[in-house]
Amino acid sequence: MKELINWLADPIRSFPIFTILFFLMIRYYKVVGTKKFAYWGLAVILPIVAWFCADPNFIKIILWPDNIPINIIIILLTFLTWLSLYKCAENDKRIEAGECPIEALPENREKVWCWPNLVYTELFVIIATTIFLVVWAIIFKAPLEEPANVTWAPNPAKAPWYFLGLQEMLVYFDPWMAGVILPGIIVVGLIAIPYIDMNPKGNGYYTFVERKLAITSFLFGWLVLWIYLIIVGTFLRGPNWTFYGPFEYWDFHKVVAEYNINLSEYVWIKILNVPMPKNILLREIFGILATVGYLVVLPLASLKLKIGKELYEKSGAIRYYIFIFLFIIMMSLPIKMVLRWLINLKYIVALPEWELNL
């Protein structure tokens, strides 16, 4: 059983499984967002987690000082995601019955003063957080290492947990793309959301029916394309950034033979069976055409879809194309990941002469 779990945990299999589970959660959110589902989920998950913790390799990784905060974050994230779906399901049931959302009930619309209501609450939270951090610092030793040494680097050398998603993206993209372009677009996209999404429904209350596209696209990027990468980088990447299953011993001598190939090499040498052209633009013409088609043709073709037409009519041309651009950039990450796993594709466009690799 442990060997099977190690096999399933490999990103080439765990990522599709995680994605399918995500869409099942969204599709049946009214089932997931119930107390009955939460109780049954705990009844099933807790014995499984206890069985996992009985393995010495798994418990060693879980209790690694750097990983304990991430364990807490994952637990809180799971609970808060369920809680939001629970509140969405409750409100959607009320809206379908012709009633107002729970947040719009008279007792919930009563206004309170910032002082003392909010300030007292914040004060208690600050005190509780301080006590928690002090107790934590006493019980757990800080994971401090020796002073910096230019002749030695830790293996694996991992970034802080909030950058592990970026570090995992470096496996699939060129450093300038994974470390600069994509994070920059993510920040700009988050800033632009209030200006792109002008739908007033859902403001001030939980709902899914009235905000399907917004909630699904955001949660997909947050849970599947970010939290998943953090989990993989934290618990499944070992020495030399090699993948290890949850029950697998981190052997520093483990070597995985990988042969990555660019799209131009794949087409010219493997498919057409001819030498690579000397002209760099001709050499990368297939990748350039694929990139232009993805960034230009695909947004125009999306207007042929029913959902594309409806979104275009509601948001207008400028907001629509900005949203589609941000969406296809976000989807380039899972596409590139899958291509790397299936055909060992390194770059779609490889122009090291211009320091441009996509």
Side-chain angles (χ1 to χ4, degrees):
M1 179 60 70
K2 291 184 178 181
E3 292 297 328
L4 175 62
I5 294 175
N6 287 338
W7 182 78
L8 291 175
D10 191 288
I12 194 173
R13 287 170 284 273
S14 61
F15 180 77
I17 293 173
F18 197 86
T19 304
I20 293 172
L21 291 177
F22 168 78
F23 283 107
L24 288 176
M25 178 189 73
I26 294 297
R27 175 65 177 83
Y28 300 102
Y29 77 99
K30 289 185 178 180
V31 177
V32 176
T34 59
K35 294 182 180 179
K36 183 178 180 180
F37 182 89
Y39 293 146
W40 277 104
L42 283 175
V44 173
I45 291 176
L46 289 179
I48 295 177
V49 172
W51 177 66
F52 271 54
C53 291
D55 183 85
N57 294 322
F58 180 83
I59 197 66
K60 183 178 180 180
I61 300 301
I62 292 296
L63 296 183
W64 191 268
D66 286 333
N67 295 345
I68 292 178
I70 304 177
N71 298 331
I72 299 174
I73 291 173
I74 292 174
I75 294 172
L76 291 176
L77 182 64
T78 302
F79 169 73
L80 293 175
T81 302
W82 172 85
L83 182 62
S84 63
L85 293 177
Y86 169 76
K87 292 186 175 183
C88 285
E90 292 295 313
N91 275 346
D92 289 341
K93 291 175 184 177
R94 293 179 60 87
I95 293 173
E96 291 174 2
E99 301 175 356
C100 66
I102 296 175
E103 291 82 357
L105 293 174
E107 59 269 24
N108 293 327
R109 292 178 62 87
E110 181 181 358
K111 296 181 179 180
V112 296
W113 294 101
C114 178
W115 170 269
N117 303 79
L118 176 61
V119 176
Y120 273 8
T121 302
E122 292 177 341
L123 176 62
F124 292 145
V125 170
I126 291 172
I127 295 174
T129 303
T130 303
I131 295 174
F132 173 75
L133 292 177
V134 170
V135 173
W136 186 331
I138 294 173
I139 295 177
F140 298 101
K141 295 181 179 180
L144 301 178
E145 298 182 1
E146 65 179 28
N149 186 345
V150 296
T151 63
W152 178 86
N155 187 11
K158 293 188 177 183
W161 68 267
Y162 42 84
F163 283 145
L164 277 177
L166 296 180
Q167 191 170 358
E168 181 67 18
M169 288 166 57
L170 288 171
V171 178
Y172 311 102
F173 287 96
D174 201 55
W176 73 272
M177 188 71 176
V180 180
I181 301 299
L182 288 179
I185 292 177
I186 290 173
V187 173
V188 172
L190 291 174
I191 296 174
I193 284 177
Y195 305 97
I196 298 174
D197 187 0
M198 305 295 290
N199 185 357
K201 294 182 178 180
N203 291 341
Y205 63 95
Y206 287 86
T207 180
F208 179 77
V209 171
E210 298 175 344
R211 306 301 300 273
K212 291 181 180 179
L213 179 61
I215 294 175
T216 302
S217 57
F218 176 80
L219 285 182
F220 180 80
W222 169 240
L223 296 176
V224 180
L225 300 184
W226 191 246
I227 299 301
Y228 170 82
L229 294 182
I230 291 177
I231 293 174
V232 170
T234 302
F235 302 109
L236 303 180
R237 290 293 187 180
N240 306 315
W241 208 248
T242 303
F243 171 80
Y244 290 82
F247 300 120
E248 188 176 356
Y249 171 71
W250 282 20
D251 185 0
F252 283 74
H253 303 288
K254 180 180 178 180
V255 177
V256 178
E258 293 184 351
Y259 176 70
N260 298 319
I261 184 172
N262 297 324
L263 180 63
S264 55
E265 299 171 333
Y266 202 94
V267 174
W268 290 108
I269 298 176
K270 283 198 169 187
I271 298 179
L272 300 180
N273 197 25
V274 296
M276 297 273 288
K278 294 183 179 180
N279 185 283
I280 59 176
L281 294 179
L282 179 61
R283 182 190 70 201
E284 303 298 328
I285 186 63
F286 298 104
I288 295 173
L289 292 177
T291 303
V292 171
Y294 184 73
L295 296 177
V296 179
V297 178
L298 191 58
L300 297 175
S302 65
L303 290 173
K304 301 294 183 180
L305 302 175
K306 181 180 178 181
I307 187 174
K309 294 179 180 178
E310 294 177 353
L311 188 61
Y312 183 88
E313 294 173 356
K314 292 180 180 179
S315 60
I318 296 178
R319 290 192 181 95
Y320 176 78
Y321 285 116
I322 293 176
F323 168 76
I324 291 298
F325 173 76
L326 294 174
F327 181 78
I328 63 176
I329 291 297
M330 180 181 71
M331 293 305 298
S332 66
L333 176 58
I335 291 173
K336 191 70 181 296
M337 290 165 62
V338 172
L339 290 175
R340 173 65 65 88
W341 297 330
L342 293 181
I343 59 175
N344 295 321
L345 184 66
K346 185 177 182 180
Y347 295 129
I348 296 176
V349 177
L351 292 171
E353 299 88 350
W354 296 351
E355 297 184 359
L356 176 62
N357 300 303
L358 300 176

